[in-house]
mmCIF file of all heavy atoms in Angstrom:
data_model
loop_
_atom_site.group_PDB
_atom_site.id
_atom_site.type_symbol
_atom_site.label_atom_id
_atom_site.label_comp_id
_atom_site.label_asym_id
_atom_site.label_seq_id
_atom_site.Cartn_x
_atom_site.Cartn_y
_atom_site.Cartn_z
ATOM 1 N N SER A 463 -9.780 -132.695 -65.135
ATOM 2 C CA SER A 463 -9.432 -132.152 -66.457
ATOM 3 C C SER A 463 -9.777 -130.677 -66.442
ATOM 4 O O SER A 463 -10.648 -130.220 -65.697
ATOM 5 C CB SER A 463 -10.219 -132.871 -67.539
ATOM 6 O OG SER A 463 -11.594 -132.750 -67.266
ATOM 7 N N ALA A 464 -9.060 -129.917 -67.227
ATOM 8 C CA ALA A 464 -9.243 -128.463 -67.344
ATOM 9 C C ALA A 464 -9.139 -127.778 -65.992
ATOM 10 O O ALA A 464 -9.923 -126.895 -65.664
ATOM 11 C CB ALA A 464 -10.573 -128.140 -68.005
ATOM 12 N N ALA A 465 -8.158 -128.239 -65.187
ATOM 13 C CA ALA A 465 -7.944 -127.592 -63.882
ATOM 14 C C ALA A 465 -7.168 -126.294 -64.104
ATOM 15 O O ALA A 465 -6.202 -126.269 -64.862
ATOM 16 C CB ALA A 465 -7.164 -128.514 -62.970
ATOM 17 N N TRP A 466 -7.598 -125.246 -63.462
ATOM 18 C CA TRP A 466 -6.886 -123.966 -63.624
ATOM 19 C C TRP A 466 -6.796 -123.213 -62.304
ATOM 20 O O TRP A 466 -7.606 -123.404 -61.389
ATOM 21 C CB TRP A 466 -7.515 -123.070 -64.705
ATOM 22 C CG TRP A 466 -9.016 -122.875 -64.547
ATOM 23 C CD1 TRP A 466 -9.988 -123.547 -65.218
ATOM 24 C CD2 TRP A 466 -9.687 -121.951 -63.664
ATOM 25 N NE1 TRP A 466 -11.231 -123.137 -64.843
ATOM 26 C CE2 TRP A 466 -11.075 -122.134 -63.879
ATOM 27 C CE3 TRP A 466 -9.273 -121.017 -62.739
ATOM 28 C CZ2 TRP A 466 -12.046 -121.408 -63.196
ATOM 29 C CZ3 TRP A 466 -10.234 -120.290 -62.061
ATOM 30 C CH2 TRP A 466 -11.596 -120.484 -62.274
ATOM 31 N N VAL A 467 -5.832 -122.353 -62.275
ATOM 32 C CA VAL A 467 -5.686 -121.424 -61.145
ATOM 33 C C VAL A 467 -5.464 -120.052 -61.748
ATOM 34 O O VAL A 467 -4.596 -119.883 -62.609
ATOM 35 C CB VAL A 467 -4.485 -121.810 -60.249
ATOM 36 C CG1 VAL A 467 -4.242 -120.728 -59.202
ATOM 37 C CG2 VAL A 467 -4.715 -123.140 -59.562
ATOM 38 N N GLN A 468 -6.307 -119.114 -61.317
ATOM 39 C CA GLN A 468 -6.217 -117.763 -61.888
ATOM 40 C C GLN A 468 -5.632 -116.811 -60.843
ATOM 41 O O GLN A 468 -6.106 -116.786 -59.704
ATOM 42 C CB GLN A 468 -7.622 -117.307 -62.256
ATOM 43 C CG GLN A 468 -7.628 -116.254 -63.329
ATOM 44 C CD GLN A 468 -9.063 -115.928 -63.701
ATOM 45 O OE1 GLN A 468 -9.798 -115.412 -62.844
ATOM 46 N NE2 GLN A 468 -9.458 -116.239 -64.924
ATOM 47 N N VAL A 469 -4.628 -116.053 -61.239
ATOM 48 C CA VAL A 469 -4.012 -115.094 -60.314
ATOM 49 C C VAL A 469 -4.175 -113.706 -60.919
ATOM 50 O O VAL A 469 -3.778 -113.466 -62.067
ATOM 51 C CB VAL A 469 -2.517 -115.407 -60.096
ATOM 52 C CG1 VAL A 469 -1.914 -114.458 -59.067
ATOM 53 C CG2 VAL A 469 -2.324 -116.845 -59.646
ATOM 54 N N SER A 470 -4.784 -112.786 -60.166
ATOM 55 C CA SER A 470 -4.970 -111.425 -60.699
ATOM 56 C C SER A 470 -4.613 -110.401 -59.632
ATOM 57 O O SER A 470 -4.596 -110.692 -58.435
ATOM 58 C CB SER A 470 -6.416 -111.237 -61.153
ATOM 59 O OG SER A 470 -7.289 -111.637 -60.129
ATOM 60 N N SER A 471 -4.308 -109.209 -60.112
ATOM 61 C CA SER A 471 -4.019 -108.107 -59.170
ATOM 62 C C SER A 471 -4.482 -106.795 -59.783
ATOM 63 O O SER A 471 -4.720 -106.715 -60.991
ATOM 64 C CB SER A 471 -2.517 -108.044 -58.865
ATOM 65 O OG SER A 471 -1.828 -107.643 -60.021
ATOM 66 N N GLY A 472 -4.610 -105.756 -58.974
ATOM 67 C CA GLY A 472 -5.042 -104.451 -59.488
ATOM 68 C C GLY A 472 -5.356 -103.506 -58.348
ATOM 69 O O GLY A 472 -5.028 -103.777 -57.181
ATOM 70 N N THR A 473 -5.990 -102.396 -58.689
ATOM 71 C CA THR A 473 -6.412 -101.437 -57.652
ATOM 72 C C THR A 473 -7.913 -101.222 -57.780
ATOM 73 O O THR A 473 -8.464 -101.254 -58.880
ATOM 74 C CB THR A 473 -5.707 -100.074 -57.819
ATOM 75 O OG1 THR A 473 -5.834 -99.685 -59.184
ATOM 76 C CG2 THR A 473 -4.256 -100.103 -57.438
ATOM 77 N N ALA A 474 -8.562 -101.003 -56.683
ATOM 78 C CA ALA A 474 -9.998 -100.713 -56.675
ATOM 79 C C ALA A 474 -10.331 -100.006 -55.371
ATOM 80 O O ALA A 474 -9.835 -100.395 -54.304
ATOM 81 C CB ALA A 474 -10.795 -102.006 -56.784
ATOM 82 N N ASP A 475 -11.172 -98.995 -55.464
ATOM 83 C CA ASP A 475 -11.628 -98.218 -54.292
ATOM 84 C C ASP A 475 -10.463 -97.745 -53.425
ATOM 85 O O ASP A 475 -10.510 -97.840 -52.187
ATOM 86 C CB ASP A 475 -12.584 -99.065 -53.414
ATOM 87 C CG ASP A 475 -13.754 -99.587 -54.220
ATOM 88 O OD1 ASP A 475 -14.166 -98.868 -55.160
ATOM 89 O OD2 ASP A 475 -14.226 -100.707 -53.934
ATOM 90 N N GLY A 476 -9.416 -97.258 -54.049
ATOM 91 C CA GLY A 476 -8.273 -96.723 -53.293
ATOM 92 C C GLY A 476 -7.462 -97.793 -52.584
ATOM 93 O O GLY A 476 -6.629 -97.481 -51.733
ATOM 94 N N LYS A 477 -7.708 -99.048 -52.932
ATOM 95 C CA LYS A 477 -6.942 -100.134 -52.312
ATOM 96 C C LYS A 477 -6.324 -100.988 -53.410
ATOM 97 O O LYS A 477 -6.789 -100.967 -54.558
ATOM 98 C CB LYS A 477 -7.859 -101.009 -51.462
ATOM 99 C CG LYS A 477 -8.364 -100.273 -50.252
ATOM 100 C CD LYS A 477 -9.072 -101.194 -49.339
ATOM 101 C CE LYS A 477 -9.352 -100.439 -48.042
ATOM 102 N NZ LYS A 477 -10.258 -101.102 -47.188
ATOM 103 N N VAL A 478 -5.302 -101.744 -53.021
ATOM 104 C CA VAL A 478 -4.759 -102.696 -53.991
ATOM 105 C C VAL A 478 -5.233 -104.082 -53.567
ATOM 106 O O VAL A 478 -5.548 -104.300 -52.394
ATOM 107 C CB VAL A 478 -3.211 -102.639 -54.024
ATOM 108 C CG1 VAL A 478 -2.726 -101.285 -54.475
ATOM 109 C CG2 VAL A 478 -2.613 -103.019 -52.685
ATOM 110 N N PHE A 479 -5.334 -104.940 -54.557
ATOM 111 C CA PHE A 479 -5.797 -106.300 -54.214
ATOM 112 C C PHE A 479 -5.049 -107.329 -55.046
ATOM 113 O O PHE A 479 -4.490 -106.989 -56.090
ATOM 114 C CB PHE A 479 -7.312 -106.428 -54.457
ATOM 115 C CG PHE A 479 -7.681 -106.465 -55.901
ATOM 116 C CD1 PHE A 479 -7.737 -107.692 -56.585
ATOM 117 C CD2 PHE A 479 -7.932 -105.298 -56.620
ATOM 118 C CE1 PHE A 479 -8.068 -107.724 -57.933
ATOM 119 C CE2 PHE A 479 -8.247 -105.330 -57.968
ATOM 120 C CZ PHE A 479 -8.326 -106.543 -58.633
ATOM 121 N N PHE A 480 -5.034 -108.530 -54.572
ATOM 122 C CA PHE A 480 -4.695 -109.655 -55.450
ATOM 123 C C PHE A 480 -5.601 -110.831 -55.095
ATOM 124 O O PHE A 480 -6.075 -110.948 -53.961
ATOM 125 C CB PHE A 480 -3.194 -109.983 -55.440
ATOM 126 C CG PHE A 480 -2.677 -110.684 -54.227
ATOM 127 C CD1 PHE A 480 -2.739 -112.074 -54.120
ATOM 128 C CD2 PHE A 480 -2.070 -109.976 -53.210
ATOM 129 C CE1 PHE A 480 -2.227 -112.733 -53.030
ATOM 130 C CE2 PHE A 480 -1.555 -110.630 -52.101
ATOM 131 C CZ PHE A 480 -1.634 -112.008 -52.004
ATOM 132 N N ARG A 481 -5.853 -111.610 -56.155
ATOM 133 C CA ARG A 481 -6.863 -112.654 -55.995
ATOM 134 C C ARG A 481 -6.290 -113.959 -56.541
ATOM 135 O O ARG A 481 -5.635 -113.972 -57.587
ATOM 136 C CB ARG A 481 -8.088 -112.229 -56.803
ATOM 137 C CG ARG A 481 -9.327 -113.031 -56.536
ATOM 138 C CD ARG A 481 -10.535 -112.405 -57.191
ATOM 139 N NE ARG A 481 -10.964 -111.191 -56.510
ATOM 140 C CZ ARG A 481 -11.260 -110.060 -57.122
ATOM 141 N NH1 ARG A 481 -11.150 -109.940 -58.418
ATOM 142 N NH2 ARG A 481 -11.661 -109.018 -56.436
ATOM 143 N N VAL A 482 -6.550 -115.043 -55.833
ATOM 144 C CA VAL A 482 -6.147 -116.379 -56.314
ATOM 145 C C VAL A 482 -7.410 -117.220 -56.370
ATOM 146 O O VAL A 482 -8.048 -117.458 -55.351
ATOM 147 C CB VAL A 482 -5.099 -117.023 -55.366
ATOM 148 C CG1 VAL A 482 -4.729 -118.418 -55.864
ATOM 149 C CG2 VAL A 482 -3.864 -116.160 -55.247
ATOM 150 N N GLN A 483 -7.756 -117.590 -57.594
ATOM 151 C CA GLN A 483 -9.024 -118.318 -57.785
ATOM 152 C C GLN A 483 -8.709 -119.686 -58.409
ATOM 153 O O GLN A 483 -7.794 -119.773 -59.239
ATOM 154 C CB GLN A 483 -9.901 -117.488 -58.736
ATOM 155 C CG GLN A 483 -11.338 -117.886 -58.718
ATOM 156 C CD GLN A 483 -12.185 -116.915 -59.551
ATOM 157 O OE1 GLN A 483 -11.669 -115.918 -60.070
ATOM 158 N NE2 GLN A 483 -13.456 -117.215 -59.678
ATOM 159 N N ASP A 484 -9.456 -120.678 -57.990
ATOM 160 C CA ASP A 484 -9.229 -122.001 -58.620
ATOM 161 C C ASP A 484 -10.562 -122.682 -58.849
ATOM 162 O O ASP A 484 -11.581 -122.255 -58.321
ATOM 163 C CB ASP A 484 -8.315 -122.865 -57.715
ATOM 164 C CG ASP A 484 -8.952 -123.167 -56.378
ATOM 165 O OD1 ASP A 484 -10.003 -123.834 -56.344
ATOM 166 O OD2 ASP A 484 -8.401 -122.713 -55.327
ATOM 167 N N ASN A 485 -10.538 -123.682 -59.686
ATOM 168 C CA ASN A 485 -11.777 -124.461 -59.895
ATOM 169 C C ASN A 485 -11.614 -125.830 -59.242
ATOM 170 O O ASN A 485 -12.012 -126.838 -59.781
ATOM 171 C CB ASN A 485 -12.139 -124.545 -61.387
ATOM 172 C CG ASN A 485 -11.095 -125.302 -62.183
ATOM 173 O OD1 ASN A 485 -9.964 -125.492 -61.706
ATOM 174 N ND2 ASN A 485 -11.435 -125.747 -63.393
ATOM 175 N N GLY A 486 -10.996 -125.763 -58.036
ATOM 176 C CA GLY A 486 -10.737 -127.009 -57.292
ATOM 177 C C GLY A 486 -11.945 -127.484 -56.507
ATOM 178 O O GLY A 486 -13.086 -127.124 -56.827
ATOM 179 N N PRO A 487 -11.705 -128.227 -55.443
ATOM 180 C CA PRO A 487 -12.828 -128.872 -54.727
ATOM 181 C C PRO A 487 -13.673 -127.904 -53.897
ATOM 182 O O PRO A 487 -14.775 -128.232 -53.484
ATOM 183 C CB PRO A 487 -12.123 -129.864 -53.803
ATOM 184 C CG PRO A 487 -10.775 -129.273 -53.590
ATOM 185 C CD PRO A 487 -10.411 -128.563 -54.842
#
Side-chain angles (χ1 to χ4, degrees):
S463 57
W466 51 261
V467 172
Q468 204 176 64
V469 184
S470 50
S471 68
T473 49
D475 304 328
K477 292 189 171 168
V478 297
F479 72 89
F480 75 86
R481 192 170 287 133
V482 178
Q483 197 173 356
D484 63 63
N485 64 343

